[in-house]
Amino acid sequence: AAMAPGEETRAAMAPGEAVAALVSRAGRRDPYPLYEALRAHGPIVPVRPGLTVVVGYAEISRALRDNRLRVQDAASYDVIYPRWRSHSSLRGYTDSMLYRNPPDHARMRRLVSSGFTPARVAAMRESVERMVHRLLDRLADLGAGGAPVDYIAEFASRLPIAVISALIGVAEDDQQWFRAMASDLTIALEGITNIGRLGTADQAMDELAGYFGDLIEHRRRHPADDMLTALVRAHDDGGAGLGHDELVGNLMLLLTAGFETTSFLLGHGLRLAFEHPREAARLRGGDPDRATAYVEEVLRYETPVQATSRWAEAGMELLGTPLEGGTKVVLMLGAGNRDPRRFPGPTRFDPDRPDIQPLSFGAGPHFCLGAPLSRMEARIALPLLLRRFPALAAAEPPDHRDRWVGRGLRRFLITVS
Ligand code: HEM
């Protein structure tokens, strides 16, 4: 194959340069050439002492299953930012499973999963369909007479919140407030890269902790057949159950981990449908298998969470590459999802690829608990949206968020009629 312009210079780019460029403006907009620059150095790239990045599909998949690579937890926060406990948002997250290592992690995950079962998700299908139809009615009103509507604000960010609220048991009247809090809190998901803005996240954390406290108390007195009741029971059983702060921390995680990520998936899902009219037409046909394949390819092609990190235990190696204890290992999910050894012609958007299985929800012990739920939302929403509005079109090019890890759209004006 002929070399694309600039390919030689990219191949010559040093790993440190490529990593720095990822968080530059150009890199945040289009990280993919930089992943290829890193890949030119191999699937596992030592960048400097203390930092290694992984860009290969098989290598990321292996690393995510390796318990010697630990997630950020209270102990590692103590090392990188001793004052972290002054931030309630960081404390809140370290009380959740995403920030716990063995043996704590398995206990929390088992208890939360006992409330968030596949059966409970499957039982939500009809209510998700109803929510989608209601939001589509709203889009029809807002977009009457060809008025441009922001698909992100009015649809893609509303559906995930409505779904999580229903799952947790948040009253409908509280949902707009809840959405604002969730959005403030996601700042803290980026850890200390955003220290200046953590005050906003802390405030949201404090308000939500109060709100969840009341909700928990209410469920204790009035048990229902919902996830929160199951979690409260896991707390009240004591022993190896969930502590109160852990219960709140995990509710916070469920709220924020599934909010923006799913809106990114819905955002790119529509954008790619406009760019690939033949695929849009197939989705309109209403075959659920098409929707499944389409959503998997969107997840691969525009990975909503581009990277996650781990910390190496002393004296380990990853597939032959030695790692010093305390090395930060960045697993670039967005790069693994475009690894040409795993996905031939990776820059082609092609839902007909066999056996897609993207890395977008992670793998191993921390594999995304919300994967079935967000997949269901996208598989239902995108075809219904396209069917409802035959004249659906982009009113202007989408406005991309200016971030590397959380890859999504900030604003996307569309016309529905
Ligand atoms: C974990 C992505 C939706 C709840 C993760 C991880 C990824 C991810 C990559 C693993 C992080 C790591 O290993 O470091 C996504 C994407 C989503 C999505 C791309 C949507 C397209 C959701 C939803 C929920 C959710 C809807 C819940 C309602 C969680 C939880 C974890 C997690 C609780 C932590 C699991 C653990 O630590 O054991 N997600 N997620 N996610 N996700 Fe999601």
Side-chain angles (χ1 to χ4, degrees), residues 124-138:
M124 284 193 76
R125 161 166 284 278
E126 280 178 23
S127 57
V128 171
E129 280 170 2
R130 269 197 307 279
M131 291 177 211
V132 169
H133 284 297
R134 275 186 21 207
L135 287 170
L136 294 177
D137 290 344
R138 231 177 135 259

Side-chain angles (χ1 to χ4, degrees), residues 395-417:
E396 54 181 53
D399 181 13
H400 288 257
R401 277 176 101 242
D402 192 19
R403 303 221 85 63
W404 166 48
V405 173
R407 184 163 177 82
L409 304 178
R410 181 164 37 206
R411 202 170 120 91
F412 193 10
L413 289 184
I414 57 169
T415 49
V416 299
S417 61

Side-chain angles (χ1 to χ4, degrees), residues 22-256:
L22 271 174
V23 291
S24 75
R25 211 184 157 72
R28 292 191 300 246
R29 178 69 190 78
D30 184 11
Y32 302 114
L34 297 167
Y35 295 148
E36 297 322 308
L38 287 166
R39 210 187 308 283
H41 299 273
I44 303 175
V45 188
V47 177
R48 57 174 178 263
L51 180 66
T52 290
V53 304
V54 187
V55 294
Y57 180 99
E59 292 75 13
I60 293 171
S61 172
R62 172 71 78 91
L64 285 166
R65 291 176 169 89
D66 191 328
N67 267 336
R68 296 168 306 171
L69 288 169
R70 299 165 64 84
V71 296
Q72 174 98 52
D73 61 9
S76 49
Y77 263 130
D78 283 339
V79 174
I80 61 166
Y81 181 47
R83 290 188 49 245
W84 70 276
R85 281 175 210 273
S86 65
H87 294 282
S88 56
S89 56
L90 298 182
R91 284 201 316 273
Y93 278 121
T94 52
D95 281 329
S96 79
M97 70 180 96
L98 187 54
Y99 294 77
R100 293 296 176 102
N101 287 297
D104 246 13
H105 172 261
R107 167 185 58 90
M108 275 194 190
R109 175 143 175 142
R110 184 170 37 77
L111 290 166
V112 176
S113 315
S114 73
F116 195 14
T117 56
R120 189 154 275 145
V121 172
M124 284 193 76
R125 161 166 284 278
E126 280 178 23
S127 57
V128 171
E129 280 170 2
R130 269 197 307 279
M131 291 177 211
V132 169
H133 284 297
R134 275 186 21 207
L135 287 170
L136 294 177
D137 290 344
R138 231 177 135 259
L139 279 188
D141 288 346
L142 292 168
V149 188
D150 182 1
Y151 165 73
I152 304 302
E154 305 303 341
F155 189 89
S157 71
R158 278 175 196 256
L159 180 64
I161 284 287
V163 172
I164 298 167
S165 298
L167 189 74
I168 296 179
V170 171
E172 257 191 72
D173 288 347
D174 295 333
Q175 279 185 25
Q176 285 316 306
W177 173 82
F178 207 54
R179 187 161 76 115
M181 292 298 109
S183 164
D184 286 351
L185 200 54
T186 50
I187 296 168
L189 268 183
E190 293 174 24
I192 57 168
T193 56
N194 241 327
I195 276 187
R197 293 174 64 212
L198 275 179
T200 310
D202 292 341
Q203 206 176 332
M205 173 73 202
D206 296 341
E207 290 195 34
L208 276 167
Y211 182 86
F212 281 135
D214 293 346
L215 210 57
I216 289 165
E217 207 36 60
H218 187 259
R219 269 297 174 278
R220 187 166 284 137
R221 292 211 202 92
H222 308 281
D225 180 23
D226 63 11
M227 184 177 84
L228 190 56
T229 305
L231 294 185
V232 169
R233 204 163 284 144
H235 166 55
D236 293 353
D237 283 350
L242 276 182
H244 175 81
D245 290 349
E246 295 177 346
L247 175 52
V248 171
N250 281 296
L251 286 171
M252 223 72 81
L253 176 66
L254 289 175
L255 169 62
T256 50

